[in-house]
Amino acid sequence: SKAMAGILLLLLSAGSAAAHALTCMSAQFKRPGHYILGGLFPFGINTVNLSARVEPTAVVCERLYAAGLIWALGMKFTVDEINNSTALLPGVQLGYEIYDSCFEPVVALQPSLLFLTRERSTGIDVLCNYTDYQPRVAAVIGPHTSDLCMVTAKLFSFFLTPQVSYGASADKLSNSELYPSFFRTVPSDKRQVEAMIHLLNRFEWNWIAVIGSDDEYGREGLSLFINLATSYGICIAYEGVIPTNWPAPNSWEKLDEVIKYVNSTQVNVIVLFSIDRPAQALLERCIKKGLSQKVWIATEAWVMSDIIISIPRIRTIGTVIGFIIKGGEVPGFVEYVTQLFASVQQESFCQASQEWSRQMESGVLGPQCEHCNRAGWQDVASFVMHRQTYAVYVAVYSVAHALHKALGCTKERCSVVPIKSWQLLEVMRTLQFKVNNYSFKFDQSQSTNMGYEILLWSWQNHTLHHAGCSGLTTFLRLVIQNPMSTCFSHCKPGQMKRVKGFHLCCYDCINCPRNTYKDKDMFCFPCPRHQWSPAQSIQCWDRTERYLFWGEPLTVGLLILTLVALALSCLAAALFYKSLGTPLVQAAGGWMSICALLSLSLMSVSTALHAGKPSHYICLMYHPVYALCLSICFSTLLVKSLQIALVTEFKSCARALLPWVTQRRAWILVASCFLVEGLLCLGSLCSTPPLLEYDYKLLPTETLVYCRLQSWLFFILVHGFNSAVAFVCFLCTFMVQTSGKKYNVARGITFTMLTYFFTWIFFIATYTTIKPTYKPAAQMGAILSTVLGTLLANYLPKCYILQFKPDWNTLERFPNDAQDVPEDKDSG
């Protein structure tokens, strides 16, 4: 608020004058009470190479860590708030001992051992049973990092002393078997990793580099992230680890190697899972090496760190988006800290603080945080609103609520009785409590139910601003300016992945081919042969059967022609029968012509066998029926053709041979042709009959039902015999000439055979090129062309004369060729 900002500016200006004066801030971290809480906070940062130690002497932390000082003051503030209120622990005073962890296990172990000593003692008893053993502290708040908690939690878990960390987020600490007395007021890293994955998926970034610090926090964060990212289909282009020990041999070379590999992968998004000091070294090196701008996904451990923000030219690294733990402001804390920094400069206040320290055996570990005595308000002003303080606030309140329950407190008073650490632990495992009207509890991962918020670095006039969720629109605008970091697109349903390059997680999406499908597996599977599917399909559908349907327009048209051909054949046969004794009918063949017309009628009817769904019996019938009917027709025309040829071209032997092609003997020739054709058909049916086939491959979505010939040899023999008869008829008639007064019967036969030949030539050319579904229609057309061609060329002109020109029906115009044979001049 504006009022708060005014107070801060006023206090800042007032405190700056005495910023470098020595104070008694180091004496503020001990206070006596009925129940003591231990605190582990990073007041300082160790810059000494620990590998150079040759004796187990005290480790000196050489530089103040201002954020850690604020967190420690947060614990002091919370205890004072609880002591000054009668709502939670009436009649009970909490005390505290707060020590520096210095981000180093070797430093944090010393006060941890002190917390486990008996009260008024500096030793830890070696006992067989520690049930009645009471350490000097009821619970421990801290430390901050996962590395330190991995060490201290094992120690406190042996004594079942409750430990509540305000910053350790490693998922390993969720193991209640290894760390039964460990709790924390921050979420597990697993939750942060899940949030990162959702963010990457939101912007479709699937080609990324992942870098972690070489400590428990970074290594476990990397492991969690990579496992989860892989399951979500995110491709890790590079996985790197950066050193945490500075200065250490080859540290800069390791950083340069990480930067080189990041450059080689050409990623535009980097996930940095690290605490702030290793992250500082990496980012400084990236700036020095001129690494191109990237999108940095930051963890809560460094996204708001002051040492990161203070890196020169830090804004040149690109876009930074990170996660911070949800948390509210600690009410009254800012005023408390400003008042405390003013009070530690007053002698009376310092004397009281030092008296409290003497009551707490301050000489055990010596004075804490010598650097704090030289810290002023201006050194900590930027951290006083740090969200981590809220986690400290909740941690202290969780222990206070556990004491409230364990002591059986009422609104008036609490029973001040000895409470063992393990008894307090039993209460905390099922504890549910409220802090400023917000409910908390420890879940299965021994964490409180606080989540994460997204935080974006936003630079305005060379000043960094942290934009929360409301800044996502700005973030989107910034991201659009950066190239996308993808090596694949998420495949759509019905698509499969085809790996490209050396990374198995990089792939192209290709559509499943036609007649294949992809369900939940990685590959496309073929449909069963009775089913089909389009390209990029997730299922198969049943095929429909395809044949020449009765209702198709083409079929209807052909059937109409069939009726026309049948009607013409029957009418012509009837007309010929009516005029059977006339010269025209006798010249045309008499009863043989009627037999031929009836066979044409039956041939017309046979076209219906090709329409509709074929069956096994239909497949056996339609070739023989057509061939035999055509054989009857052509054999009668053969008889007439031979008669004409003998009369016109072979007059010398006509009288000797004509009896064999006239009268009743002519029927022997017709029967012989029919018998030969019948034997050929019977041989075809017995040896290689046509088969009813279902073709599942020819049509994309349908099953073609058709009759398949097994032997083309018999097909050629069956139809070749009729063709041979037709050719003989053509040879016997195409050169025949008659006088103008006589009707040329031979011409009709000639044109009939020409029509037959042209029909078969056209049929073969058409049959080999049209779609398979229309091949039955082509067969119907060929049959009808043969029938109609024969009628039009040979019989309908004669029917016209019989019906409309009866005066032409005379012996003069239609002499009987079998009787009109001139005598041989050489005989007699």
Side-chain angles (χ1 to χ4, degrees):
S1 65
K2 293 182 178 179
M4 180 63 68
I7 293 173
L8 290 176
L9 289 174
L10 179 62
L11 292 172
L12 179 61
S13 60
S16 61
H20 298 290
L22 289 175
T23 66
C24 61
M25 182 61 74
S26 62
Q28 305 307 310
F29 303 115
K30 291 185 177 65
R31 178 189 177 97
H34 296 106
Y35 303 97
I36 306 299
L37 303 182
L40 294 173
F41 292 86
F43 295 141
I45 299 177
N46 177 34
T47 57
V48 178
N49 187 1
L50 294 178
S51 62
R53 295 177 70 216
V54 294
E55 295 180 358
T57 54
V59 178
V60 178
C61 300
E62 298 184 351
R63 184 159 62 92
L64 176 70
Y65 187 69
L69 174 59
I70 289 298
W71 301 337
L73 294 180
M75 177 176 175
K76 173 179 170 59
F77 165 78
T78 309
V79 173
D80 290 346
E81 183 179 79
I82 294 170
N83 288 338
N84 293 333
S85 171
T86 59
L88 188 58
L89 294 173
V92 172
Q93 290 290 303
L94 293 179
Y96 51 82
E97 291 188 35
I98 302 174
Y99 291 95
D100 185 11
S101 67
C102 202
F103 287 105
E104 291 292 346
V106 69
V107 177
L109 269 177
Q110 198 172 12
S112 298
L113 291 172
L114 177 64
F115 293 155
L116 295 173
T117 61
R118 287 188 184 271
E119 191 176 5
R120 304 286 178 180
S121 170
T122 58
I124 301 176
D125 297 342
V126 178
L127 305 173
C128 293
N129 189 337
Y130 284 89
T131 303
D132 296 326
Y133 184 86
Q134 178 58 50
R136 67 191 293 145
V137 298
V140 178
I141 307 299
H144 173 244
T145 64
S146 299
D147 265 8
L148 297 183
C149 287
M150 291 290 182
V151 176
T152 59
K154 288 284 185 70
L155 198 60
F156 295 131
S157 292
F158 177 77
F159 292 89
L160 294 181
T161 300
Q163 175 186 4
V164 187
S165 174
Y166 51 89
S169 55
D171 194 58
K172 284 185 179 179
L173 292 167
S174 301
N175 191 332
S176 58
E177 291 186 4
L178 295 177
Y179 311 102
S181 65
F182 177 82
F183 301 91
R184 55 186 165 198
T185 54
V186 294
S188 163
D189 280 337
K190 186 177 181 180
R191 305 302 176 199
Q192 184 174 204
V193 167
E194 289 172 351
M196 287 179 171
I197 297 298
H198 286 304
L199 177 70
L200 294 172
N201 283 332
R202 169 65 177 81
F203 295 106
E204 298 183 353
W205 289 326
N206 50 52
W207 180 241
I208 64 171
V210 186
I211 302 173
S213 53
D214 191 13
D215 55 14
E216 193 62 41
Y217 176 75
R219 287 191 299 270
E220 186 179 10
L222 278 182
S223 177
L224 285 171
F225 182 86
I226 291 171
N227 290 337
L228 192 60
T230 303
S231 65
Y232 275 85
I234 296 174
C235 196
I236 308 298
Y238 172 69
E239 172 190 350
V241 177
I242 54 178
T244 56
N245 295 327
W246 299 92
N250 303 324
S251 295
W252 297 114
E253 289 80 357
K254 291 179 180 178
L255 289 181
D256 291 343
E257 185 179 1
V258 169
I259 295 171
K260 182 185 74 173
Y261 279 112
V262 169
N263 263 329
S264 66
T265 58
Q266 299 181 346
V267 298
N268 293 311
V269 176
I270 302 174
V271 175
L272 181 53
F273 222 106
S274 171
I275 57 177
D276 52 3
R277 286 184 295 165
Q280 175 194 12
L282 175 66
L283 295 176
E284 287 177 345
R285 202 65 176 173
C286 289
I287 295 170
K288 182 177 180 180
K289 290 289 184 180
L291 185 69
S292 60
Q293 291 193 351
K294 308 290 184 183
V295 175
W296 294 84
I297 308 299
T299 60
E300 49 83 24
W302 68 269
V303 68
M304 294 187 68
S305 172
D306 62 320
I307 63 175
I308 299 293
I309 297 170
S310 61
I311 296 175
R313 298 172 56 214
I314 185 62
R315 65 179 302 174
T316 62
I317 65 171
T319 303
V320 177
I321 180 171
F323 298 88
I324 56 173
I325 299 169
K326 286 183 179 180
E329 296 182 4
V330 179
F333 180 63
V334 176
E335 295 82 355
Y336 178 85
V337 174
T338 54
Q339 180 62 41
L340 181 62
F341 268 92
S343 299
V344 294
Q345 301 177 41
Q346 301 172 8
E347 186 176 353
S348 59
F349 182 84
C350 289
Q351 288 178 352
S353 299
Q354 290 165 359
E355 179 61 28
W356 287 342
S357 295
R358 282 192 292 270
Q359 295 180 28
M360 295 297 296
E361 301 173 288
S362 60
V364 174
L365 291 180
Q368 290 296 304
C369 192
E370 288 292 331
H371 301 292
C372 298
N373 293 333
R374 292 188 291 272
W377 170 254
Q378 65 195 35
D379 298 313
V380 299
S382 59
F383 303 99
V384 74
M385 301 293 290
H386 201 291
R387 292 189 174 219
Q388 203 79 47
T389 308
Y390 188 76
V392 177
Y393 186 67
V394 175
V396 177
Y397 262 103
S398 69
V399 177
H401 277 278
L403 281 170
H404 174 88
K405 190 173 182 180
L407 296 174
C409 296
T410 63
K411 293 182 179 180
E412 292 78 21
R413 59 184 293 277
C414 294
S415 301
V416 183
V417 295
I419 294 293
K420 301 292 188 296
S421 297
W422 59 268
Q423 293 174 325
L424 190 63
L425 177 63
E426 286 295 322
V427 176
M428 292 193 67
R429 283 174 175 166
T430 58
L431 182 65
Q432 294 187 9
F433 60 98
K434 283 189 175 182
V435 178
N436 296 335
N437 296 322
Y438 287 97
S439 297
F440 295 94
K441 66 176 180 179
F442 293 108
D443 57 22
Q444 291 182 347
S445 64
Q446 304 179 133
S447 312
T448 52
N449 50 324
M450 289 195 293
Y452 287 93
E453 292 180 0
I454 299 177
L455 188 72
L456 172 69
W457 282 17
S458 176
W459 294 92
Q460 299 175 9
N461 298 326
H462 302 283
T463 304
L464 178 62
H465 298 271
H466 295 105
C469 292
S470 60
L472 278 180
T473 304
T474 305
F475 173 63
L476 284 170
R477 186 167 62 251
L478 291 172
V479 167
I480 291 173
Q481 299 173 1
N482 291 316
M484 297 304 293
S485 189
T486 59
C487 74
F488 67 88
S489 300
H490 290 286
C491 292
K492 299 177 181 178
Q495 291 184 325
M496 65 177 293
K497 300 174 183 178
R498 182 175 61 189
V499 176
K500 60 181 180 181
F502 298 103
H503 293 270
L504 295 179
C505 52
C506 283
Y507 54 84
D508 292 321
C509 293
I510 59 173
N511 294 337
C512 285
R514 182 186 294 274
N515 293 329
T516 64
Y517 72 99
K518 180 178 180 293
D519 191 5
K520 296 180 180 179
D521 297 300
M522 295 177 60
F523 305 103
C524 301
F525 295 96
C527 294
R529 67 173 190 169
H530 66 280
Q531 292 184 326
W532 73 280
S533 69
Q536 192 183 340
S537 179
I538 60 173
Q539 69 179 72
C540 298
W541 288 270
D542 290 334
R543 290 176 176 268
T544 56
E545 292 183 343
R546 186 67 173 97
Y547 42 84
L548 191 64
F549 298 112
W550 290 100
E552 289 187 59
L554 180 59
T555 309
V556 173
L558 290 171
L559 290 176
I560 291 173
L561 286 177
T562 298
L563 293 176
V564 171
L566 177 62
L568 291 176
S569 301
C570 293
L571 290 173
L575 188 58
F576 268 57
Y577 179 76
K578 180 181 177 182
S579 307
L580 183 62
T582 62
L584 186 153
V585 175
Q586 289 299 316
W591 279 105
M592 285 192 178
S593 295
I594 296 174
C595 181
L597 288 170
L598 291 177
S599 69
L600 290 177
S601 302
L602 184 58
M603 194 188 309
S604 301
V605 174
S606 72
T607 58
L609 296 174
H610 295 274
K613 183 178 180 180
S615 65
H616 173 68
Y617 295 105
I618 289 176
C619 291
L620 296 177
M621 288 174 58
Y622 68 75
H623 274 299
V625 170
Y626 165 71
L628 292 173
C629 291
L630 188 63
S631 176
I632 294 173
C633 179
F634 280 6
S635 62
T636 61
L637 295 178
L638 176 63
V639 169
K640 191 63 184 176
S641 299
L642 291 174
Q643 293 176 2
I644 295 172
L646 289 173
V647 171
T648 59
E649 302 298 332
F650 303 96
K651 296 179 181 180
S652 60
C653 55
R655 288 190 178 276
L657 296 177
L658 272 176
W660 293 98
V661 292
T662 57
Q663 303 303 324
R664 293 180 180 178
R665 292 181 181 179
W667 288 104
I668 297 175
L669 180 60
V670 173
S672 299
C673 291
F674 182 79
L675 180 61
V676 172
E677 186 68 26
L679 290 174
L680 290 173
C681 292
L682 183 62
S684 173
L685 294 177
C686 292
S687 61
T688 54
L691 299 177
L692 180 64
E693 288 286 332
Y694 292 83
D695 194 325
Y696 299 98
K697 297 180 179 180
L698 196 59
L699 301 178
T701 63
E702 299 168 310
T703 301
L704 181 64
V705 185
Y706 70 103
C707 297
R708 181 176 67 84
L709 288 174
Q710 289 196 78
S711 173
W712 283 99
L713 175 61
F714 275 100
F715 179 83
I716 294 172
L717 290 175
V718 168
H719 294 282
F721 179 76
N722 284 333
S723 298
V725 172
F727 186 67
V728 172
C729 293
F730 177 76
L731 290 178
C732 292
T733 59
F734 85 103
M735 291 295 291
V736 174
Q737 297 292 331
T738 59
S739 62
K741 295 181 180 180
K742 295 182 180 180
Y743 184 86
N744 193 342
V745 178
R747 187 180 302 164
I749 298 175
T750 302
F751 281 112
T752 297
M753 300 311 151
L754 286 175
T755 303
Y756 171 75
F757 292 140
F758 287 142
T759 296
W760 268 94
I761 292 171
F762 182 75
F763 167 73
I764 292 172
T766 304
Y767 193 82
T768 56
T769 56
I770 63 171
K771 294 180 179 180
T773 51
Y774 295 113
K775 287 186 176 182
Q779 292 174 315
M780 293 178 68
I783 296 172
L784 290 175
S785 296
T786 302
V787 173
L788 292 173
T790 303
L791 289 172
L792 290 172
N794 192 49
Y795 294 104
L796 292 185
K798 296 178 176 62
C799 291
Y800 175 79
I801 294 173
L802 290 174
Q803 186 67 28
F804 300 105
K805 299 291 183 179
D807 54 320
W808 290 6
N809 191 357
T810 63
L811 284 173
E812 184 180 0
R813 287 182 178 272
F814 296 95
N816 193 327
D817 295 324
Q819 300 173 359
D820 188 16
V821 181
E823 294 182 0
D824 190 351
K825 296 179 180 181
D826 296 331
S827 62

